[in-house]
Amino acid sequence: MKGLKYYIKDSVKNHYAIGAYNFVNMEMLKGICEGAKIAKSPTIVAVSEGAFKYMDENFLLGLYKGALKSYSGIPLFLHLDHGKSFEMCKKAVDLKFNSVMIDGSSLSFEENVLLTKKVVEYAHAHGVLVEAELGVLKGVEDNVSALTNVYTDPLKAKEFVERTNCDTLAVAIGTSHGAYKFSGEAKLRFDILSEIEKNLPSFPLVLHGASSVPQKYVEKINKFGGNVKGAKGVDERLLAKACREHNVYKINSDTDLRMAYISTLREHLKENPDNIDLRKFNSLAIEEIKQLVAEKNRCFNNIDRI
Ligand code: G3H
Ligand code: 13P
Ligand code: ZN
């Protein structure tokens, strides 16, 4: 089976992006794998620091190893999402993750360079790839919180990559974490992305906060007792453009999977108040995530890539 390094190159060369999907339990992971199987897509399964603590390393590795066995034809890569410290990244490297993200985006440029470099040296010595981040995404997630976007500076991006030797770079061009990304028109700064690419030709870039927040989930959650009014994500046409016309090789989605899961549960529980069998609604959630991931992979031009 080809490794992550191969697929990173292949995706930039052939203008598709690999979906990086966060999971926190077996149902999410299974839905992701099922979706990857339909679309025949190399896929990254991502664990945030919060998810790492929630599952604990034994459960998460057990789930991942199980997925590798049950979906042996699918290249599935395990990735640490938003590692905030050297120690956290080291732990993931020692556990043989395929790649780790060191997120020093909230630090000063110099501090980010130093921290990233340290992680790169350790990870590369153990054959693990490193994603770094430059620029700040608006929004809140575990350990990461910001009120406004600070777009990636294209000149600084070149200096950052040269000094740290990171393998891939997450850039801030207007996406943000969570379900409320835009109050007005959804816009991404493709001009900044093009400038970054001029300075870093063929360098693999990453988009975080790229959920599209399908309105069918927003409506379902609101209809069945939830409240996510006004939730809005990144237009899928913008994501399709980012992978087909730019060097975006990895697109992160967590919120969409959460919404697929929760909307299914809410509907089922409301309509079946007597059900106490978890498998009934969890099976529906797996199916919903499967369809979502397959659709996303099509949007990312990641079909029949194995
Ligand atoms: O940005 C990544 C994920 O959405 C992180 O979510 O930290 O709540 O697991 P979490
Ligand atoms: P979303 O909140 O848009 O799904 O972003 C997820 C993400 O960037 C994970 O790192
Ligand atoms: Zn992120």
Side-chain angles (χ1 to χ4, degrees):
M1 179 98 61
K2 292 169 184 123
L4 181 56
K5 223 175 186 166
Y6 168 85
Y7 283 109
I8 292 177
K9 266 203 165 165
D10 192 56
S11 58
V12 172
K13 187 169 156 221
N14 293 306
H15 309 289
Y16 66 94
I18 302 174
Y21 302 110
N22 289 68
F23 72 96
V24 301
N25 63 8
M26 185 277 286
E27 286 75 13
M28 292 182 88
L29 183 57
K30 200 165 183 184
I32 296 164
C33 295
E34 287 285 331
K37 190 173 161 187
I38 302 182
K40 300 202 181 78
S41 321
T43 297
I44 295 171
V45 290
V47 177
S48 68
E49 286 199 12
F52 196 105
K53 280 194 204 108
Y54 175 74
M55 289 183 276
D56 95 30
E57 65 189 56
N58 296 322
F59 277 99
L60 90 83
L61 286 179
L63 286 177
Y64 174 63
K65 283 179 186 159
L68 287 180
K69 272 198 176 173
S70 294
Y71 298 88
S72 56
I74 312 292
L76 285 177
F77 302 108
L78 184 62
H79 173 74
L80 174 70
D81 192 28
H82 294 285
K84 293 295 282 180
S85 63
F86 173 78
E87 291 69 30
M88 186 65 223
C89 291
K90 179 179 182 299
K91 200 185 279 182
V93 168
D94 293 346
L95 291 171
K96 302 195 174 5
F97 276 50
N98 299 102
S99 58
V100 296
M101 175 191 189
I102 177 66
D103 179 358
S105 61
S106 58
L107 305 174
S108 71
F109 181 79
E110 285 303 321
E111 286 168 336
N112 192 357
V113 166
L114 287 180
L115 177 60
T116 302
K117 224 174 142 191
K118 188 172 170 194
V119 171
V120 167
E121 275 160 17
Y122 187 78
H124 284 182
H126 293 80
V128 174
L129 300 173
V130 178
E131 172 184 331
E133 178 166 337
L134 190 64
V136 182
L137 272 68
K138 191 172 66 134
V140 183
E141 73 197 53
D142 202 44
N143 283 329
V144 188
S145 151
L147 288 174
T148 48
N149 281 311
V150 180
Y151 298 121
T152 304
D153 177 334
L155 276 177
K156 287 275 182 202
K158 182 177 163 64
E159 182 188 340
F160 185 84
V161 168
E162 283 170 357
R163 287 178 61 190
T164 61
N165 198 25
C166 62
D167 300 284
T168 64
L169 185 69
V171 293
I173 58 160
T175 59
S176 58
H177 291 108
Y180 301 88
K181 300 190 191 298
F182 302 99
S183 43
E185 195 196 340
K187 271 196 193 149
L188 295 186
R189 293 290 304 270
F190 284 109
D191 56 329
I192 294 179
L193 193 54
S194 298
E195 277 306 305
I196 296 169
E197 287 162 351
K198 262 190 219 157
N199 292 329
L200 289 167
S202 300
F203 193 79
L205 303 173
V206 179
L207 283 189
H208 279 251
S211 274
S212 49
V213 188
Q215 289 304 301
K216 65 179 178 186
Y217 297 147
V218 174
E219 281 157 24
K220 209 183 253 189
I221 292 172
N222 289 334
K223 180 171 171 193
F224 292 105
N227 182 3
V228 288
K229 291 188 184 75
K232 189 170 174 183
V234 183
D235 189 319
E236 291 205 328
R237 286 166 297 189
L238 300 180
L239 297 174
K241 183 178 159 79
C243 28
R244 283 169 182 78
E245 297 174 24
H246 293 271
N247 298 334
V248 171
Y249 101 93
K250 172 173 172 277
I251 295 190
N252 288 14
S253 310
D254 185 357
T255 298
D256 283 353
L257 278 71
R258 294 176 179 194
M259 291 182 97
Y261 201 139
I262 293 290
S263 60
T264 306
L265 260 59
R266 281 198 177 276
E267 180 180 33
H268 177 88
L269 291 174
K270 186 88 180 175
E271 299 204 327
N272 302 274
D274 58 333
N275 177 33
I276 54 162
D277 182 346
L278 277 63
R279 291 167 298 187
K280 292 207 171 122
F281 50 75
N282 276 334
S283 304
L284 296 173
I286 292 170
E287 180 61 29
E288 192 61 47
I289 292 174
K290 163 183 170 178
Q291 299 302 341
L292 172 75
V293 166
E295 251 173 60
K296 283 184 165 296
N297 290 356
R298 274 192 279 276
C299 168
F300 302 161
N301 206 15
N302 185 357
I303 319 170
D304 279 325
R305 299 290 182 180
I306 297 173

